[in-house]
Amino acid sequence: MNHVFDELHTGAGAPGDVRAHYKAYQRWLDAQPADAMQACREEAEMIFRRVGITFAVYGAKDVGGAGSERLIPFDLIPRVIPRGEWAEMELGLRQRVNALNRFIHDVYHDKDIIKAGIVPAEQVLKNAQYRPEMEGVDVPGGVYSHISGIDIVRAGNADGTGSYYVLEDNLRVPSGVSYMLENRKMMMRLFPELFVTNRVAPVAHYPDLLLETLRDVAPAGVNHPNVVVLTPGMYNSAYFEHAFLAQQMGVELVEGQDLFVRDDFVYMRTTQGPKRVDVIYRRVDDDFLDPTAFRSDSTLGCAGLLNVYRKGNLTLANAIGTGIADDKSIYPYVPKMIEFYLGEKPILNNVPTHMCRDPKELQYVLAHLDELVVKEVHGAGGYGMLVGPAASRDEIEAFRAQLLANPTNYIAQPTLSLSTCPTFVEKGIAPRHIDLRPFVLSGKTVEMVPGGLTRVALKEGSLVVNSSQGGGTKDTWVLE
């Protein structure tokens, strides 16, 4: 897995070895003056800043302290995926999300996968993401993760080919789809001629698909559901996205203080009086949703929400308790889930994973810290992880102490050489490592727009693509 796959070139980057699906774009790029590309880059930054497409970075000293706002860097060079590759990936995504939804329903109901000895009981029932409050609660259509962000990477093989792997599953409140949509709008604004000469599959209909999905999962008997987006507020790192999606869907953006419970229903305060709410697309974590059920100090949710939910008078997307399936200690079992629930072999493979709670695996990890990526099982955003090959000896030793103190809190994986894609950086065009986050919508059917959000590690040699760690984004083209 240590061979780097170049998305653009079939060989070592020599002229003439451009992959077939990149050839039309490469011809266009070769004809562009460098100063024209630089001018487009500056225009994109100006527009993004004016529109307010920012990301809050907490505790990031290098960008002005806690909660400082900055743009997520946008790269002008798209990542291009041929239709056949996407079709296979789409099948794998449908399969995986279907199995994950079946797993979540099972662990809160009959627990068949635990009884079969496939997933250890303690891995589920003692997991910090397990919500006993969801025991026996039936949700519409058996769908728990309505919006899933599945992170996919491509690693090179010895024969020069590349293989896709699922790096992790994001099923709680996955973010980033607004950047996918805004990146496409920006590319169409700056380079309209490219969309005449390349048949790029559209993504602009995502908000329509999202609204349709949310309406599909309304409580039984509700024919014209009222859908709202629940945000923690303007100081949240992804607030731009919350406001953007509400506006694109034509629904209300609300905060916890705008909602109240009466007679086992949730209502929204409006200037015309209370209005019943049927579906909440919530961008607030479980712990903060209902101060009477979870964290009593939370001011972000609505008191009594859980009780309404348990009675079937409200749909939450995503459901409470979905975190059990995106916990990194559960991730290694997903291939077995697919076989158990669907009777199929996984189409998309996992990255081989060492579970540090196993003493033998822990010994291996401790002996190879300089080669592995070690992650907290509940971690997100690129925090709480060690990238062994890029870490100093002091960082490795400090992490070793954390690992020994709490091994059950960590998993380890080989350091994948993520594929590279040409990227417009200060010095010109150079390869940078990328991943892909497709967004999978599950309602009455499973839907997705072609592609997703390509994230790019802008630092030379870096494998960390997270926006919170200085990564940028690209437009993702699936060619029709």
Side-chain angles (χ1 to χ4, degrees), residues 97-167:
V97 170
N98 187 1
L100 286 164
N101 269 310
R102 296 274 288 270
F103 169 74
I104 303 168
H105 180 271
D106 185 23
V107 298
Y108 290 119
H109 288 78
D110 297 334
K111 301 180 175 54
D112 290 332
I113 202 164
I114 294 173
K115 291 171 186 169
I118 293 168
V119 180
E122 68 274 11
Q123 282 294 99
V124 173
L125 305 178
K126 293 183 180 176
N127 194 300
Q129 296 302 319
Y130 186 74
R131 302 287 181 225
E133 298 86 356
M134 289 297 291
E135 289 272 358
V137 177
D138 291 317
V139 299
V143 178
Y144 289 77
S145 183
H146 310 86
I147 303 99
S148 308
I150 310 296
D151 291 347
I152 293 179
V153 297
R154 172 142 60 178
N157 302 317
D159 62 0
T161 60
S163 298
Y164 287 112
Y165 295 89
V166 174
L167 190 61

Side-chain angles (χ1 to χ4, degrees), residues 379-434:
Y383 295 104
M385 65 187 286
L386 174 81
V387 181
S392 68
R393 184 169 292 180
D394 286 349
E395 287 169 336
I396 287 173
E397 291 313 310
F399 212 92
R400 185 189 303 278
Q402 293 176 40
L403 194 49
L404 283 165
N406 189 6
T408 58
N409 199 38
Y410 294 94
I411 60 158
Q413 296 170 330
T415 306
L416 289 186
S417 290
L418 310 188
S419 64
T420 61
C421 187
T423 301
F424 192 63
V425 294
E426 296 302 331
K427 298 175 184 173
I429 295 172
R432 290 292 185 266
H433 294 290
I434 56 169

Side-chain angles (χ1 to χ4, degrees), residues 228-233 242 252-257 259 280-284 288-289 300-302 305 316:
V228 300
V229 177
L230 174 63
T231 177
H242 308 163
E252 291 293 333
L253 179 70
V254 300
E255 296 182 30
Q257 63 195 11
L259 304 175
I280 298 178
Y281 175 25
R282 51 96 173 207
R283 300 299 293 263
V284 173
F288 301 96
L289 275 176
L300 303 178
C302 170
L305 198 71
L316 290 170

